[in-house]
Amino acid sequence: APALSIHDLRKTYARDGAKTGVEALKGVSLDVMPGDFFALLGPNGAGKSTLIGIVSSLVNPTSGQVHIFGTDLVRNRSAAMRLIGLVPQEINFNMFEKPLDILVNYAGFYGVAREEALVRAEEELRRAQLWEKATVMSRTLSGGMKRRLMIARAMMTRPRLLILDEPTAGVDIEIRRGMWKTLREINEAGTTIILTTHYLEEAEHLCRNMAIIDRGRIVEQGPIKALLAKL
Ligand code: ADP
Ligand code: ADP
């Protein structure tokens, strides 16, 4: 089964006092294969956050189907969610905790035994180039380190699909490169990754396949190299 399969997905946000709502998604269909590094590219307001919100169960779709590795997201939500790791845009860990504790506590919240959590935490901190910072106060980490810690945390539940909504929005090129390296290693180790971005350059550097979304519709979809040749 595809890592993510979306069929005719629609989302209309209700507007108070208005007969018609905002049609954020107007019938989106999309397949992302296991192992892919997939970019959803589009300008502001295109519907990227809405699509990611639906896939991560934060937003209810108006209609349509979503399957995660064959599991129906609407009918079997908790099983589907166990397959997903989500990296939120906002850094939201406790700045007065240490990276190691942040990761171990997060895994514990999802039912991972402490011993196993410690093994995973070391692996993720090393992959995010944060092992040397495992026991410093998180407040003292650089901006790039904080972003990579967000990625490391999402990996603690061993998701098969990692989802990032504009992971590098508003960060400088140095920080972006560090995040790219971590994400590439995660993908090379077998995790499927989907990210949204409005930087074509980011999609080009990182991803294999891409869908371009504009005003709630997919306007192009396929291997990035083929799409770039058309643009
Ligand atoms: P993107 O992430 O590509 O910038 P969004 O999914 O955030 O796009 O937004 C798509 C459209 O839906 C926009 O017109 C936006 O204003 C609208 N929208 C997004 N979230 C809401 C919401 N909670 N309520 C009403 N309209 C929304
Ligand atoms: P994005 O990160 O996609 O740019 P925004 O900053 O536009 O998101 O939106 C922040 C929050 O406000 C989100 O929860 C989004 O769903 C909501 N939102 C966005 N557009 C609208 C809108 N037109 N009306 C109501 N809520 C909105």
Side-chain angles (χ1 to χ4, degrees), residues 191-206:
T191 305
T192 309
I193 300 182
I194 298 176
L195 59 79
T196 70
T197 184
H198 55 261
Y199 302 115
L200 177 60
E201 186 213 358
E202 178 156 273
E204 202 183 335
H205 266 82
L206 274 181

Side-chain angles (χ1 to χ4, degrees), residues 38-135:
F38 190 94
L40 185 67
L41 179 77
N44 282 328
K48 302 183 298 297
S49 293
T50 299
L51 195 149
I52 292 299
I54 291 171
V55 172
S56 49
S57 270
L58 304 170
V59 175
N60 284 320
T62 303
S63 67
Q65 286 90 48
V66 180
H67 289 85
I68 316 285
F69 290 98
T71 300
D72 189 317
L73 179 67
V74 175
R75 283 199 225 151
N76 209 344
R77 183 167 172 267
S78 59
M81 291 309 291
R82 276 197 292 275
L83 302 170
I84 291 180
L86 186 66
V87 180
Q89 249 184 27
E90 317 295 331
I91 293 168
N92 64 358
F93 51 75
N94 185 342
M95 292 293 163
F96 295 94
E97 280 181 27
K98 299 163 182 174
L100 184 65
D101 295 334
I102 289 169
L103 298 197
V104 170
N105 293 340
Y106 184 82
F109 180 80
Y110 286 96
V112 180
R114 188 172 171 83
E115 214 168 311
E116 168 67 13
L118 284 165
V119 172
R120 292 186 188 185
E122 175 168 354
E123 194 177 317
E124 296 308 330
L125 288 168
R126 286 189 188 283
R127 182 150 66 183
Q129 296 177 279
L130 289 170
W131 181 239
E132 279 68 39
K133 301 284 182 182
T135 58

